[in-house]
Every structure is written in C-alpha cells, then in structure tokens.
Amino acid sequence: MASRLYIWARWMVRRRRWVMATWILLFAVVGGLGATLSGKTSTEFTIPGVEAQEAQNLLKEKFPPAAGGVVRIVVAAPEGERITDPAPRKALDGVLDEAAHVEGVVNVFRPGEAGAVSSDGTIAYADVRFAEEAPEVPEEAKEELATAVEPLRDAGMQVELGGSAMLPQAEAGGPAELVGVAIAFVVLAVALGSLVAAGLPLLTALLGVAVGVLGTMFVSRFVEMTGTATVLALMIGLAVGIDYALFVISRHREQLADPDTDWEESIARATATAGSAVVFAGATVVIALAALVITGIPFLTVMGLAGAVTVLIAVLVAISLLPAVLGVFGERMRPRRPRRGKRAPGAWGLAWARGVTRAPAVVLLAGIVGLLALALPARDLRLGLPSYASQPEAGTQHKSYDLLTEGFGPGFNATLVTVVDTEGVPQDQRETTVARLRGTLAADKNVAAVSPPVAGPSGGTVVMSVVPKSSPDAQATTDLVHRMRDEAPKVAESGGTLYVTGQTAMAIDVAGKLGEALPLFIGVIVVLALVLLAVAFRSILVPVKAALGFLLSVGASLGASVWVFQEGHLNGLLDVAAVGPVTSFLPILLTGVLFGLAMDYEVFLVSRMREHHEHGKDAAEAVAHGVASSARVVVAAALIMIAVFGGFVFNEDPIIKSIGFALAFGVFIDAFVVRMTLVPAAMALLGRRAWSMPRWLGRLLPDVDIEGARLPAPAPAARAGARTSGTEDARREPAARV
C-alpha cells in the first residue's frame, strides 16, 4: 500500500493545479445540486414492520383523517380568568375559525367539542388536523398557524404549539459548533507550530465535508432521510477530515526538519506512510458506518451511509488534494530549526511511555477498573426517543408540554392510540368486542382515561385514545403499552386485530427493535476489528487487545451518557431540558463511529511502534519510541475531535446533543486512557509476542505495508534551480520558514 501511495502522491504533486481544479469543480457541481435540488428531511424515526407503524399504515388506508399530522394549540387563560369566560372563548373561536381555512387542514377539534378544557378551566387545547402525515405538513402552513394565534396573545393569553407536526428539524452550524472549530485551529497551531500549516487541515477538511454534506442534501431528494443524518455527516466528516490532514502534515513537517530532505520527496513519503494509516483507518470508519445496514432499519442505514460517504471523501481529500496543496507551498512548509536548549520533539511522549511501561501491570489493572466503574450506569440503560419535554425550555414545544402536564396530568403527553380492525368480527359482535376492550383498558392501574370509540368511514376500523397516568418517558408507560398489547389474543378470538400506536408507542417500538439489533452489530464490529488489525499488523494479540480496549471505551461512554441524560447529572451545565431514556439509536451509532475513530488512533500509534520494531529496536524500546513519535499527533487529533464533537453538545436538538456528548466523551476515554495509557502498558507486557502470528494464518492474510518498510531510500534534496522528471517544474521555493 505504501509503495503505491508513494507513486500516487508524486503524481498528485506534479499535477497539483489539475488536482485542485478538479476538487473545486466537484465542489461547485455537488454544491449546486445540493443547494438547488435538495429534498425535504424527515423529523420522524420510524421502522417498517413494528406494530405502531403497521397501525399507522392501517389508519392511512382505512381511516385517513386519523393518520394526518396534528398541530395542537395549547392556551392558558389570563390570571384570574377561565377559558370558558365569554371574552377568551370568543377570541379562541375566532382564531380557530381562521385556522380551519389554512391550506391542508381537514378539521379542527375545538375544546368544547372534545372536552379539552382542564378541570379548573384555565388551560385548554385545540387540535388542528392536516390531510398530510406529520412529516409532510408544509412549513408554510405551520407558520400561518403561528401567525393566526397572535390575537390570543394580544388578549393576554399564553399560547404554545405542540402536536405531532411540530417536531423541529435537526440543524447545525450554531455558535457552539463554530467555537469547536476555533478550538481545533488553536490545537493545530500548537501541534504543528505554524499558523499556515494549521490552516491547511481546516481548509481541506471544510472542502471535503462541504462536498459530503451537500451531496447528502441532494440525495435526500430521492431517499427519505432524517435531519440527523446530515448533521451526523457534518460532525464526523469535519472531525476525521481535520485529523487525517493533521496526520499527513505532521509527518511531512517531521521529515522536513532534516535539511537534507527534499520537499517533494517528503510529501510522497508522508502520504505513503501516514497516508497508509489514514487509508486503513478511514476504511475502518467507512466499513463500521456502512455496517449499520445490517440492522435492517432504514433511517439508521441512510444515516450510516451518509456518514460513510463523507468519511470516504475525507480520505480522498487527504491523499489527493492535500499532497497537491502541500506541493503549492513547497519549501515554505519546512519548520524552523529548533533553538538550542529546546527539548527534542517527542521528549514528553517518550517520558510518558517509559513511565507507563515501568509498572505496566499496575497501570493496566487501574485503567480497566476505572473504565468498568464508568461503565456501571450502563446497566440501567433505557432506550427511547426524546419527547417535547427534552426540547429547549424556551421553545414553544417544551412550553406546550408543560401546560398540558399542568392542566391534564403527566400522562396526557403520552396518549396512546388503540386501533381495532373489526372487519373479521361478526357485525353483531363488534360493539361488544370494542366495549369489552375499552372496559379492560379503563380498569388498568396506570390508565387515567379512555376516550369513546370512534369508527372510521367504513365502520371496520375503530380508534380509542388511552391516557396513561405516567409521563411518556416513564418505565410505567412502557409497561402499560405491553399490557395493552397483551389483550390482542382476546380480540383475535373474536376475529379482530388490536394495534397500539401513537408517538409514545412508536418510540417504544423503535427502542425495542434497536435494542435487539445492538448485540449483533457489536459482534460484527468486534470481528471486523480483529480481521482488519490482523491484516494491518500481522498479529493475533494486537487485534484482541485493541478490540477489548474498544469495548471498554464504548462501555464507559454509554455509562456516562446514562449518568447525564437518563439520571440527570450535569443537566444545568450541559443545558439538558429534561431527563429521560437515552436516544434509542445512540448505542448502535456510538459503537460504529467510535470503533472507526478508535482504530484511527490504534493504527497510527501501533504502526509507529511496529515501524521502530521493524528497524531493529527491542519490544520495550519500540513501544516507548512509537509513543514518542506519535503522541503529539494522537493527542492533538483527539483534542480536535473532542472540540468538534463537544461543540454539538450545546446544540438545541436533544438527539444531536446526546450524540455529541457520547462521541466527545468516548474519544477522550479511548485516546487518553485506552490508546495512550493502556495500549503501551499492554504492549510492554506482551513484549515480542505482540508481533507473532501462526505461519498458516500469515500465508492466508495479505501482507499490507502501512509502515513504508518497502519504500525506496530517501532521495537527497534537489539543488536550487534543479529540475525533476515530470510535467512540471519542481524548483525549490525560496527558503522562507514557516
């Protein structure tokens, strides 16, 4: 691999103008398509085949009005007044009359008709139902409704909007994310010792992630995609794009510290060695994200593929555009000569490695115990999807949730919908079957109310709303859904079919499906890690050690996520609006992404250890010098990823917030505790055995050279004015120093 990348990089450098022009053209084309022909992203996380989705499909077919999206107008009367007083009621009636004329609205359920006034008369709600399903309700219609309710505010009433159609889109690009990028630039400047060199990874990463995200936006025109998919592509693409460029540039400047090294030769060798690690590490991220396909969950599949394509583009940028850009700067990338008395590069990394390997067994034991302690809260992991309680406290969705809870109890926001298909029930038994079911549901200890049954146009489909006593995120509500579904066999005896649906039931079904897929996905990822690392390092023990370390990192990150989002610690600091279950697809997503990123650091760190071992150093010295050679870059790369992911922790969307936190914490643990501490300790204990492999297995696996052992000897620096073979003049640039 290294030999091919060496030739490839020389070709890129000598045709740098064409390479840069090609990338700019690609950006212009993809950007134009993404900006002008992007599709509409969804706000719902649904899974075909689960009961809640089957019920929605049945309603859409047999009872279309019940399947439409709803905007719920929640109103609180002025202090000392009631909604039923003449003035507030008149104002509300006028607003609802106007709402009925909004395009797409099929009916308006008024508080008086639906019994939707609180017992004290101070809070009421009205449901505005659209013909389209919730994700399809146009933004223009929602904005028109928001304008229509202004007279109520003018009359002194509090008005908030909720309902299934008001789920906000996930968005990125706020101040917190920009702060993360700014921190990344500072880290790059310190790590590379140059503002110009620090700007290059940001420049190339931003170009690559722009192509990836804009391409994803264009694809959303043809494939149903959640808004989270584009944000995830931005998050991961930006982080790995900066890191991969950092790996190559740091190796280039390390080589240029030798005044006899020609800059073109250095670019080729940096791309061959660090670039090989980038290609291999990037391939693991791409495969891990693409492996989300095996879950069989469409929205997660699209999310994984969007992230995988963006990472693939970041790899291509690092091994094509970056060498071309480095060729433009030429001699100007050569670092200044260190001042006398200044510590040699990597001195602190060498000291750290020797400190860790002085008592490796103690370090290994302490690290494992600490990570297991962090993972303990994960035993109580509960999966779900955020309710409106998790939306920002200043948002209208959160305020509507609070008003409904105050007026009608905590379970009102968890309303469940029972759908009974009675077409197989004899005509004279239908009413009795539904009445018996309603009585059973009403008698449940966690049911506050059951609405009268409403039959569809054909009479064969009956709908009833069930209001729990517990909140949407409570375990008691999940248990109630299961008890309601336990009534299905009794309904089936009469010839009918019972379904339980609604937003809360859908969230429970999605969580259950993802929980079932998680063990299989983790198993695939672990096997993948063993195979890839066995190929990379031609070793058995190194892959086993890496996989165990990865599992510890995932466990610690999940434990921290449960501790923060489910148990409610640090809520004020992280601006978490409400505690609740962990986002249902977070464990699978975290496993896939963190696996790829962990392999980045594993490959970059251990490849330098193997490189020193290949060059004759004994096992202990190879470990120490491998850490010394790569510590600064690994630490800088980890800090950059933590800064980028950490910026998303302060995103208002609760799903993006939890993903950002889990990834930032996971990278911190994996880089600083597992890779920089436990890996050197484990490698020191293993000694020469770390690099052993059975001969029969060695013959089966391909021999991939990612350390550059088979590269030609370095060419001496060309004299000023000398020409190199190729299509372009490769003169040395003026000896300005960066």
Side-chain angles (χ1 to χ4, degrees):
M1 181 187 292
S3 300
R4 290 186 175 89
L5 282 177
Y6 178 84
I7 298 170
W8 165 271
R10 279 190 172 276
W11 195 91
M12 290 289 144
V13 171
R14 292 170 181 175
R15 293 161 179 80
R16 47 188 175 271
R17 292 187 180 88
W18 286 104
V19 172
M20 291 188 291
T22 300
W23 275 103
I24 293 171
L25 178 63
L26 178 64
F27 168 70
V29 172
V30 175
L33 292 173
T36 59
L37 298 176
S38 61
K40 184 178 180 181
T41 55
S42 173
T43 56
E44 291 193 336
F45 299 92
T46 59
I47 300 178
V50 297
E51 181 174 325
Q53 187 60 47
E54 289 179 351
Q56 287 295 112
N57 295 340
L58 179 65
L59 287 175
K60 188 176 180 180
E61 178 186 354
K62 301 290 183 65
F63 201 165
V70 173
V71 173
R72 177 164 285 171
I73 301 174
V74 187
V75 183
E79 189 172 350
E81 298 184 34
R82 297 161 61 93
I83 294 293
T84 52
D85 291 344
R89 184 175 60 188
K90 182 179 179 181
L92 181 57
D93 286 343
V95 166
L96 296 181
D97 287 340
E98 186 175 348
H101 292 92
V102 172
E103 186 176 355
V105 172
V106 292
N107 52 46
V108 176
F109 292 94
R110 299 170 185 266
E113 299 170 359
V117 181
S118 63
S119 57
D120 61 3
T122 60
I123 297 173
Y125 69 89
D127 284 347
V128 180
R129 189 173 294 276
F130 287 81
E132 300 93 342
E133 292 185 81
E136 304 301 323
V137 175
E139 287 296 323
E140 295 79 7
K142 290 186 278 188
E143 291 171 4
E144 192 174 344
L145 275 179
T147 303
V149 301
E150 285 301 320
L152 297 178
R153 294 193 175 97
D154 296 338
M157 290 184 268
Q158 180 184 356
V159 185
E160 308 298 344
L161 301 179
S164 61
M166 288 299 293
L167 281 169
Q169 287 280 4
E171 296 180 353
E177 288 93 323
L178 296 178
V179 169
V181 174
I183 293 173
F185 178 75
V186 173
V187 173
L188 286 167
V190 173
L192 296 174
S194 161
L195 292 179
V196 174
L200 291 183
L202 280 179
L203 178 66
T204 56
L206 287 173
L207 178 65
V209 81
V211 172
V213 171
L214 289 168
T216 300
M217 292 171 62
F218 174 64
V219 172
S220 69
R221 186 178 183 87
F222 310 100
V223 178
E224 184 176 347
M225 186 180 298
T226 63
T228 309
T230 55
V231 178
L232 180 69
L234 170 64
M235 188 188 304
I236 297 175
L238 188 59
V240 300
I242 296 173
D243 273 10
Y244 293 165
L246 170 63
F247 291 163
V248 175
I249 293 175
S250 63
R251 188 64 174 259
H252 177 46
R253 283 172 62 81
E254 177 186 325
Q255 293 166 170
L256 286 181
D258 180 357
D260 293 330
T261 301
D262 177 71
W263 60 261
E264 183 179 327
E265 172 73 12
S266 178
I267 294 172
R269 299 188 79 84
T271 306
T273 52
S276 292
V278 165
V279 170
F280 198 87
T284 62
V285 183
V286 169
I287 294 171
L289 289 171
L292 291 171
V293 173
I294 69 173
T295 62
I297 299 168
F299 78 82
L300 204 55
T301 295
V302 173
M303 196 180 296
L305 292 177
V309 170
T310 307
V311 172
L312 178 60
I313 292 172
V315 172
L316 294 175
V317 166
I319 62 172
S320 61
L321 177 61
L322 184 60
V325 174
L326 291 175
V328 171
F329 282 88
E331 185 69 18
R332 284 170 290 181
M333 290 301 294
R334 193 179 297 275
R336 297 177 184 272
R337 292 185 180 182
R339 296 187 301 270
R340 289 184 179 181
K342 187 177 180 180
R343 297 181 69 182
W348 69 267
L350 184 62
W352 171 263
R354 284 177 172 164
V356 167
T357 56
R358 190 170 292 119
V362 175
V363 170
L364 203 58
L365 181 62
I368 292 173
V369 170
L371 292 178
L372 290 175
L374 286 174
L376 280 178
R379 296 180 304 172
D380 302 319
L381 174 68
R382 285 181 49 235
L383 301 178
L385 290 173
S387 64
Y388 279 148
S390 301
Q391 294 297 325
E393 293 182 356
T396 189
Q397 294 93 344
H398 186 101
K399 290 178 180 178
S400 72
Y401 182 98
D402 287 344
L403 282 178
L404 291 171
T405 299
E406 178 186 344
F408 303 95
F412 189 82
N413 287 292
T415 298
L416 303 166
V417 179
T418 57
V419 181
V420 186
D421 185 355
T422 61
E423 290 189 354
V425 181
Q427 189 73 34
D428 59 340
Q429 297 180 22
R430 290 183 180 181
E431 188 175 340
T432 304
T433 299
V434 173
R436 187 186 305 118
L437 173 64
R438 183 171 186 263
T440 302
L441 296 177
D444 190 279
K445 60 183 179 181
N446 193 35
V447 171
V450 181
S451 72
V454 178
S458 66
T461 304
V462 179
V463 176
M464 293 182 289
S465 295
V466 178
V467 180
K469 295 178 181 178
S470 52
S471 66
D473 298 330
Q475 180 63 41
T477 304
T478 303
D479 295 339
L480 171 61
V481 170
H482 294 319
R483 289 198 299 273
M484 291 171 66
R485 288 173 172 168
D486 288 342
E487 298 299 316
K490 296 178 183 177
V491 176
E493 289 175 3
S494 304
T497 307
L498 170 66
Y499 303 92
V500 180
T501 187
Q503 284 182 281
T504 302
M506 182 67 75
I508 292 169
D509 285 353
V510 170
K513 186 76 172 179
L514 288 166
E516 293 172 4
L518 183 59
L520 171 63
F521 184 69
I522 290 179
V524 169
I525 288 295
V526 170
V527 171
L528 180 66
L530 294 174
V531 173
L532 288 175
L533 291 176
V535 170
F537 299 117
R538 305 192 66 77
S539 164
I540 294 296
L541 296 178
V542 168
V544 170
K545 174 263 306 169
L548 292 175
F550 157 70
L551 291 175
L552 287 172
S553 298
V554 170
S557 185
L558 277 180
S561 297
V562 170
W563 191 72
V564 170
F565 295 98
Q566 186 174 307
E567 297 180 1
H569 302 281
L570 303 180
N571 278 11
L573 178 64
L574 300 181
D575 194 25
V576 179
V579 298
V582 172
T583 301
S584 54
F585 55 85
L586 177 62
I588 282 183
L589 197 62
L590 174 67
T591 301
V593 176
L594 195 57
F595 164 74
L597 302 182
M599 293 307 104
D600 280 2
Y601 303 132
E602 180 75 16
V603 169
F604 199 76
L605 190 64
V606 178
S607 64
R608 296 306 294 266
M609 294 179 187
R610 190 167 187 260
E611 186 177 330
H612 286 287
H613 185 265
E614 291 282 334
H615 291 149
K617 283 187 168 53
D618 62 54
E621 281 300 294
V623 170
H625 284 276
V627 173
S629 301
S630 53
R632 183 172 64 172
V633 178
V634 169
V635 168
L639 290 175
I640 288 167
M641 284 209 175
I642 292 168
V644 172
F645 292 145
F648 288 87
V649 173
F650 300 97
N651 190 292
E652 291 186 345
D653 187 279
I655 294 176
I656 300 300
K657 183 186 292 289
S658 62
I659 292 173
F661 174 83
L663 289 177
F665 189 85
V667 168
F668 173 81
I669 291 296
D670 194 83
F672 293 105
V673 179
V674 175
R675 307 302 155 191
M676 288 293 295
T677 305
L678 300 188
V679 165
M683 295 294 286
L685 283 176
L686 293 174
R688 295 183 61 85
R689 290 168 301 197
W691 310 112
S692 62
M693 173 180 278
R695 290 183 180 178
W696 63 269
L697 184 57
R699 288 192 295 268
L700 289 177
L701 296 178
D703 189 2
V704 180
D705 175 26
I706 65 173
E707 296 88 13
R710 292 190 288 274
L711 289 178
R719 294 185 179 183
R723 293 180 181 268
T724 61
S725 60
T727 61
E728 289 193 27
D729 192 359
R731 296 185 182 93
R732 291 172 62 93
E733 302 290 343
R737 296 291 186 263
V738 178

